[in-house]
Amino acid sequence: MKIVTVIGARPQFIKACMVSKRLRQDPSIQEVLVHTGQHYNANMSDVFFTQLNIPKPDYHLGIGSGSHGEQTGKMLIELEQVFIKEKPDAVLVYGDTNSTIAGSLASSKLHIPIIHVESGLRSFNRYMPEEINRIVTDHLSSLLFCPSQAAANQLKNEGITKGVYATGDIMYDAVLHYKAKAEKQSAILSQLNLTLKEYYVATIHRAENTDDLTRLSAIMEGLSKLGKKVILPLHPRTKKQLQQLNAPIFTDKSSLLFIDPLDYFDMLALMSQAKAIVTDSGGVQKEAYMLRIPCVTLRDETEWIETVEAKWNRLADARNPTAILKAVQLAKEQSTYPALFGDGHSADQIYTIIKKNFPS
Ligand code: UDP
C-alpha cells in the first residue's frame, strides 16, 4: 500500500512522527512524505524533523506564508501534481491547518481516499480558519481517527458514522514516548534560571488573539500581573504583532520573558515543571492535561472541552487582564484525572485500522 502523508505546520510534525514510525515498520506500506512548507523557519520546522527522527520529506513544496486563499491555493496546485505522479492508495492528513484542507481537497477531487487523524474536533466558531479546515476535511474523509469519544460523537451528530474510530490522541503517544527523554536532555530550566513550579509558560498564536492589538495588549497586561516569571516562546506571527506594541510591560523589568520558539524536548521539559500554563494553542491545552499541569485557555471557546469539564483547564476572557489573573489564580491541580485521551497507543490502533481497510 502507498500512502502520501501531507504535513506542513509545527503541530503536524509532532502528530505525524509517531504514526510515521509505526507505518514504516511494515515493509508492505510505502509512505511518501510531503512537507508543504507552511512553517519553514528552522525552529518551527527542521528542528522537529531532527529531534523526532521524522524521515526527510520526499517532496518539499516550499509554499511559505500568505493569505489563507493564496497559501491553500498554491498548495492545492502542487499537491495535485504530487498525487497524480505518486498515485497513492490513500492520503493521510493531520489536524486542522491549511495543509490539511489543501491535502483533502486535492485528493478528494482525484477520488483518492483521505485518512484524517485528529478528526471530529469542533469549536463551533466559524471565524476560526481551523474550524473550516476541520469541518471540510472530516466531511471528505474515508477514515476518521478521533482523539476522544466526544469527537466521534460529534461526527455522528453531523451524520458521519462510516470509518470513524476513537483511537485516543496521537499527541499522548508522543508525550509518553518523549517526556522522560526530554526531561533528561533539556537544560531549559537552568538556562532560563527557573525554579520548579515557580514560573508560568504561555503560548499565544491564534489569529483572534494576535491580529487585534488591543486584545494582544490585554493578554500581555494580564500575564504581567501574575506575580511570577512568565516564559513566552513566541510564534513568528505573535512576535511580528508584538513588535508593533510598545507598552511599558515590555521593558526589561517585566516578568515576561520572550524567547524564540522552543524545540519539542525543551517545550515538554518547560511545561512539565510549570505552575500553570496559559495558552490559546490546541496542542498545548492537551499537553497541559497530559502532563497534569493546570491550564488557562485565552479563548471564548475550546474544542478540547473535556479538559474544561475535568476542571484542569479553564477559559478566560482574553480582552480582560483581571479575568486572566483570576483564572490563573484559580487554576489548580484536581484530585481526579479521567483518561481523556486514550492509553498512549493510538499509533498502533491507527496502523491496524489502516491495514484492515487497505489490505495490500
Ligand atoms: N511547541 C513547541 N515549541 C514551542 C511551542 C509549541 O514544540 O515553542 C509544541 C507544543 O508542545 C505542541 C505543539 O507545538 O506539541 C503545538 O503547536 P501549536 O501551538 O503551534 O499549534 P496548535 O496545537 O494550536 O495547532
Side-chain angles (χ1 to χ4, degrees):
M1 173 196 190
K2 187 194 261 194
I3 297 181
V4 171
T5 296
V6 179
I7 53 180
R10 173 169 67 189
Q12 292 168 327
F13 310 139
I14 294 159
K15 286 165 198 165
C17 82
M18 300 303 286
V19 178
S20 257
K21 276 190 196 49
R22 185 62 193 89
L23 293 177
R24 286 170 191 242
Q25 281 169 15
D26 183 338
S28 74
I29 296 182
Q30 183 195 354
E31 186 189 38
V32 175
L33 193 59
V34 181
H35 186 329
T36 61
Q38 182 175 342
H39 283 168
Y40 45 86
N41 294 341
N43 57 16
M44 293 293 287
S45 172
D46 304 1
V47 72
F48 297 97
F49 282 79
T50 317
Q51 196 165 58
L52 306 177
N53 291 318
I54 304 170
K56 191 171 177 300
D58 299 280
Y59 295 85
H60 198 304
L61 306 182
I63 302 295
S65 312
S67 66
H68 284 280
E70 182 191 0
Q71 194 178 53
T72 312
K74 282 183 181 165
M75 288 177 190
L76 206 49
I77 295 168
E78 298 292 327
L79 286 171
E80 183 173 61
Q81 293 309 311
V82 174
F83 298 165
I84 288 171
K85 182 164 166 237
E86 293 291 342
K87 301 188 177 46
D89 299 294
V91 165
L92 172 57
V93 295
Y94 291 88
D96 55 20
T97 73
N98 286 344
S99 302
T100 317
I101 196 174
S104 318
L105 281 175
S107 46
S108 64
K109 298 275 178 169
L110 294 169
H111 312 296
I112 303 167
I114 300 159
I115 303 169
H116 185 205
V117 173
E118 204 180 77
S119 185
L121 276 301
R122 297 292 181 266
S123 65
F124 304 100
N125 173 1
R126 290 204 180 190
Y127 283 96
M128 269 183 96
E130 294 90 346
E131 182 77 350
I132 307 295
N133 296 343
R134 295 178 193 125
I135 293 171
V136 174
T137 299
D138 282 340
H139 283 262
L140 296 176
S141 292
S142 302
L143 280 184
L144 303 96
F145 293 117
C146 302
S148 63
Q149 192 51 50
N153 294 345
Q154 176 55 33
L155 292 176
K156 196 171 169 201
N157 292 342
E158 294 178 23
I160 307 172
T161 50
K162 244 183 99 195
V164 176
Y165 300 89
T167 54
D169 197 302
I170 194 63
M171 290 181 80
Y172 191 36
D173 288 31
V175 167
L176 293 182
H177 188 78
Y178 286 113
K179 181 174 177 266
K181 196 173 178 184
E183 286 175 339
K184 204 164 150 213
Q185 285 190 12
S186 168
I188 190 75
L189 268 72
S190 55
Q191 275 166 14
L192 300 179
N193 201 13
L194 298 173
T195 311
L196 304 191
K197 304 287 172 192
E198 287 297 321
Y199 63 91
Y200 298 103
V201 179
T203 76
I204 306 296
H205 74 285
R206 293 257 94 77
E208 72 207 53
N209 283 333
T210 56
D211 291 1
D212 175 350
L213 288 181
T214 317
R215 189 163 164 139
L216 186 59
S217 184
I219 292 173
M220 294 304 146
E221 197 187 326
L223 293 177
S224 70
K225 288 179 189 292
L226 299 186
K228 291 192 193 303
K229 259 192 205 172
V230 182
I231 317 303
L232 282 125
L234 286 188
H235 189 282
R237 174 167 57 218
T238 317
K239 186 174 183 176
K240 204 169 134 210
Q241 292 296 90
L242 279 174
Q243 279 160 353
Q244 296 191 45
L245 285 176
N246 199 14
I249 49 171
F250 304 130
T251 62
D252 289 345
K253 289 200 187 68
S254 166
S255 57
L256 307 187
L257 182 60
F258 297 105
I259 57 173
D260 285 334
L262 293 172
D263 64 39
Y264 184 59
F265 289 2
D266 279 347
M267 187 64 187
L268 276 186
L270 188 68
M271 287 191 294
S272 71
Q273 300 300 342
K275 184 169 170 59
I277 293 172
V278 185
T279 191
D280 60 11
S281 156
V284 172
Q285 283 177 66
K286 278 190 293 180
E287 285 169 343
Y289 188 79
M290 292 166 189
L291 296 165
R292 299 181 186 231
I293 306 294
C295 183
V296 170
T297 296
L298 300 184
R299 287 179 45 197
D300 297 338
E301 75 288 304
T302 176
E303 45 291 321
W304 302 104
I305 191 71
E306 352 20 8
T307 60
V308 176
E309 285 163 359
K311 299 197 169 64
W312 281 82
N313 187 10
R314 55 183 65 234
L315 299 177
D317 182 354
R319 302 167 205 85
N320 181 346
T322 311
I324 297 173
L325 171 65
K326 278 198 182 138
V328 174
Q329 285 168 342
L330 288 170
K332 296 265 165 9
E333 282 183 31
Q334 301 296 310
S335 52
T336 54
Y337 184 76
L340 300 179
F341 297 116
D343 60 3
H345 291 99
S346 1
D348 283 334
Q349 291 191 51
I350 289 171
Y351 159 75
T352 307
I353 296 162
I354 291 177
K355 208 45 197 164
K356 207 171 100 201
N357 281 271
F358 295 90
S360 37

